Amino acid sequence: MLKNFQRCISQETFQFCKICIVGANGGVGRSLAQQLKQNNRFSEICLYDITCTKGLRADLSHINTLPEVTAYSGAENLVESLRCCDIMVLTGGQSHSKGITSREQMFEANAKIMVKLIDALVKANKEQPHIHIVTNPINSLVPLTAELLKKHGIYNARRLIGCTKVDGMRAATFLAEHMEVDPRYVEVPVIGGHSSKSIVPLISQSQPKFALDDETQMKIAQRIIHGGEEVVLAKNHKGAAQLSMGYCVAQFCDSLVRSMQGEKNVKEVGFIPSDVNDVPYFACQFELDKEGIRGCKRLPPMLPFEINLYNQAREDIRRNVDIAMEFMDKNKLK
């Protein structure tokens, strides 16, 4: 009924786009769902979690905006939730806890979830939808996802992106705070990956440029690199970044749907299959079109301390990719 109504009121401009949030009952998932409900570019927001999502759907569905909200829960309904989706966002999974203290342990737990998720995605879709991975560790889960999709024969490198937009958002916020300017008009490229050893803020390449000595830039860069930990400490280890993460993921999804619906010159950032250096995956700036990523922007000049961070990032990402490949071998998934 709602879809017929949408066709009537905006037949010329409205294009259907179904986005599925896997892990919708988590803090990031709820934040993301609320913001997507305010975005009339989407036709359907599908909520999926192992736990019941009916209450979240009821709450969101009272908001008087166009996107229809649907809800699925339980392992038996995963395939149906993903059916015919245009965008799938993974926000759920295992985070740091008393039992999970390292990124390696986190990867083992979330890799098993990813195997089941990709199996369901393939059953639900003939082609790979746009996949946006928010769950950590991104540096290993993105390569793992690529290998699983290759195994199933539906891999599309242009439609696989790990979330690193939050690092650029923090970079703009922290630099603007230091300079006492409006953060909405500050942009800082952040390349590399999404871990404390692979985040590379390029403050020297900020727009606008600021006259800062190397020591000050290094200090701000370290705050950006450890921005996630700043939130965890402020919450006394009882939670992580959820509202800020939900905001930046919603912004990224808006960029994605705008490009899918034909808008030109949509620029974004993320951890993607890339050819900018000697590692197969890297976070860089890129342009989006209807089909997805249009190649990485070439890496800019860097200061000596930024080069050190960059070299460290390459080695860390290389190790993270190896972890994913070892998981595939160990579990005989190739």
Side-chain angles (χ1 to χ4, degrees), residues 20 26 126 133 136 209 251 271 276 309 327-328:
C20 183
K126 293 182 179 179
I133 299 175
N136 280 315
K209 289 189 179 295
Q251 294 293 304
F271 186 72
V276 296
L309 291 175
F327 180 89
M328 291 288 294

Side-chain angles (χ1 to χ4, degrees), residues 8 10 20 26 62 74 81-82 97 100 105 108-109 123 135 149 151 172 183 200-201 212 222 236 240 248 250 301 303:
C8 291
S10 53
C20 183
H62 291 184
S81 73
L82 295 168
S97 65
I100 305 291
Q105 289 175 314
E108 282 290 325
K123 290 176 183 176
T135 300
L149 291 165
K151 174 194 167 189
V200 185
L212 295 170
Q222 286 302 312
N236 293 318
C248 76
L303 295 176

Side-chain angles (χ1 to χ4, degrees), residues 67-178:
E68 180 181 10
V69 184
T70 55
Y72 296 86
S73 58
E76 69 279 8
N77 290 312
L78 177 56
V79 172
E80 190 58 34
S81 73
L82 295 168
R83 199 172 301 282
C84 300
C85 70
D86 300 290
I87 304 170
M88 189 275 286
V89 183
L90 175 61
T91 64
Q94 181 65 59
S95 58
H96 282 293
S97 65
K98 289 183 179 179
I100 305 291
T101 57
S102 70
R103 294 182 83 83
E104 289 75 19
Q105 289 175 314
M106 190 191 304
F107 171 73
E108 282 290 325
N110 289 334
K112 294 173 183 176
I113 294 172
M114 186 61 77
V115 172
K116 295 177 181 178
L117 178 57
I118 297 304
D119 283 345
L121 192 72
V122 171
K123 290 176 183 176
N125 299 275
K126 293 182 179 179
E127 297 181 356
Q128 178 194 323
H130 294 269
I131 298 174
H132 193 45
I133 299 175
V134 183
T135 300
N136 280 315
I138 285 169
N139 293 3
S140 294
L141 284 181
V142 170
L144 175 64
T145 303
E147 293 303 311
L148 292 171
L149 291 165
K150 289 175 187 176
K151 174 194 167 189
H152 287 288
I154 67 165
Y155 177 57
N156 185 340
R158 297 185 64 191
R159 295 184 176 186
L160 176 61
I161 304 170
C163 177
T164 63
K165 188 177 180 72
V166 67
D167 301 315
M169 182 178 70
R170 287 172 176 148
T173 301
F174 299 162
L175 179 58
E177 181 181 301
H178 180 84

Side-chain angles (χ1 to χ4, degrees), residues 228-239:
E229 297 168 37
E230 184 176 307
V231 177
V232 171
L233 289 172
K235 292 185 175 183
N236 293 318
H237 295 275
K238 295 179 180 178

Side-chain angles (χ1 to χ4, degrees), residues 123-314:
K123 290 176 183 176
N125 299 275
K126 293 182 179 179
E127 297 181 356
Q128 178 194 323
H130 294 269
I131 298 174
H132 193 45
I133 299 175
V134 183
T135 300
N136 280 315
I138 285 169
N139 293 3
S140 294
L141 284 181
V142 170
L144 175 64
T145 303
E147 293 303 311
L148 292 171
L149 291 165
K150 289 175 187 176
K151 174 194 167 189
H152 287 288
I154 67 165
Y155 177 57
N156 185 340
R158 297 185 64 191
R159 295 184 176 186
L160 176 61
I161 304 170
C163 177
T164 63
K165 188 177 180 72
V166 67
D167 301 315
M169 182 178 70
R170 287 172 176 148
T173 301
F174 299 162
L175 179 58
E177 181 181 301
H178 180 84
M179 300 304 302
E180 298 183 337
V181 298
D182 190 333
R184 293 175 299 171
Y185 304 106
V186 176
E187 182 178 349
V188 181
V190 180
I191 61 173
H194 188 64
S195 68
S196 61
K197 293 182 180 179
S198 64
I199 296 171
V200 185
L202 301 180
I203 298 172
S204 64
Q205 300 299 312
S206 71
Q207 293 295 328
K209 289 189 179 295
F210 298 103
L212 295 170
D213 57 55
D214 287 3
E215 183 178 353
T216 301
Q217 291 193 52
M218 284 190 284
K219 184 177 179 180
I220 297 171
Q222 286 302 312
R223 187 183 176 198
I224 296 163
I225 290 167
H226 298 287
E229 297 168 37
E230 184 176 307
V231 177
V232 171
L233 289 172
K235 292 185 175 183
N236 293 318
H237 295 275
K238 295 179 180 178
Q242 297 175 343
L243 301 179
S244 55
M245 184 64 76
Y247 174 82
C248 76
V249 177
Q251 294 293 304
F252 181 89
C253 291
D254 179 70
S255 294
L256 198 53
V257 74
R258 285 190 289 114
S259 64
M260 290 166 62
Q261 294 177 354
E263 186 172 326
K264 307 294 185 184
N265 301 314
V266 180
K267 294 179 175 58
E268 267 299 344
V269 64
F271 186 72
I272 65 173
S274 78
D275 60 356
V276 296
N277 52 28
D278 59 346
V279 291
Y281 298 87
F282 208 71
C284 58
Q285 295 176 309
F286 50 82
E287 191 173 306
L288 291 165
D289 63 16
K290 286 185 176 183
E291 295 303 315
I293 302 162
R294 286 189 59 189
C296 267
K297 182 178 179 181
R298 298 300 94 181
L299 300 179
M302 305 179 205
L303 295 176
F305 87 88
E306 294 171 335
I307 292 174
N308 289 337
L309 291 175
Y310 168 74
N311 289 331
Q312 174 184 274
R314 286 168 50 235

